[in-house]
Coordinates of all heavy atoms in Angstrom, one line a residue:
Q97 N 32.4 1.6 10.7 CA 31.0 1.7 10.3 C 30.5 3.1 10.4 O 29.8 3.6 9.5 CB 30.2 0.8 11.2 CG 30.5 -0.7 11.0 CD 29.4 -1.5 11.6 OE1 28.3 -1.7 11.0 NE2 29.6 -2.1 12.7
I104 N 28.7 8.8 3.4 CA 27.5 8.8 2.6 C 26.7 10.1 2.9 O 26.2 10.7 2.0 CB 26.6 7.6 3.0 CG1 27.3 6.3 2.5 CG2 25.2 7.7 2.3 CD1 26.6 5.0 2.9
V161 N 15.8 -12.0 16.0 CA 17.3 -11.7 16.0 C 17.5 -10.3 16.6 O 18.5 -10.1 17.3 CB 17.9 -11.7 14.5 CG1 19.3 -11.3 14.5 CG2 17.7 -13.1 14.0
D238 N 24.3 -4.1 9.7 CA 22.8 -4.4 9.8 C 22.3 -4.7 8.4 O 21.5 -5.6 8.2 CB 22.1 -3.2 10.4 CG 22.5 -2.8 11.7 OD1 23.1 -3.6 12.4 OD2 22.3 -1.6 12.1
G242 N 20.9 -8.3 7.2 CA 19.6 -8.4 6.8 C 19.5 -9.1 5.4 O 18.6 -10.0 5.2
I251 N 15.8 -19.4 0.4 CA 16.2 -20.7 0.0 C 15.4 -21.8 0.8 O 14.9 -22.7 0.3 CB 17.7 -20.9 0.3 CG1 18.5 -20.1 -0.7 CG2 18.1 -22.4 0.1 CD1 20.0 -20.0 -0.4
I325 N -8.6 -3.6 -11.1 CA -8.4 -2.3 -10.4 C -9.4 -2.1 -9.3 O -9.1 -1.7 -8.1 CB -8.4 -1.1 -11.3 CG1 -7.2 -1.2 -12.3 CG2 -8.4 0.2 -10.6 CD1 -7.2 -0.1 -13.4
K343 N -8.5 -1.8 15.8 CA -7.5 -1.2 16.8 C -8.2 -0.5 17.9 O -7.8 -0.5 19.1 CB -6.5 -0.3 16.1 CG -5.4 0.2 17.0 CD -4.4 1.0 16.2 CE -3.2 1.5 17.1 NZ -2.2 2.2 16.3
N350 N -1.3 -7.7 23.3 CA -0.7 -8.6 22.4 C -1.7 -9.7 21.8 O -1.8 -9.9 20.6 CB 0.5 -9.3 23.0 CG 1.7 -8.4 23.1 OD1 1.8 -7.4 22.3 ND2 2.6 -8.8 24.0
C360 N -7.9 -9.7 9.9 CA -7.4 -9.0 8.6 C -6.9 -10.1 7.6 O -7.1 -9.9 6.4 CB -6.4 -8.0 8.9 SG -7.0 -6.5 9.8
L382 N -14.8 -23.8 -9.0 CA -15.5 -24.9 -8.4 C -17.0 -24.7 -8.4 O -17.5 -23.6 -8.4 CB -15.0 -25.1 -6.9 CG -13.5 -25.4 -6.7 CD1 -13.2 -25.5 -5.2 CD2 -13.1 -26.7 -7.4

Side-chain angles (χ1 to χ4, degrees):
Q97 294 197 74
I104 292 173
V161 176
D238 303 338
I251 294 172
I325 293 173
K343 185 176 181 179
N350 285 337
C360 290
L382 296 179

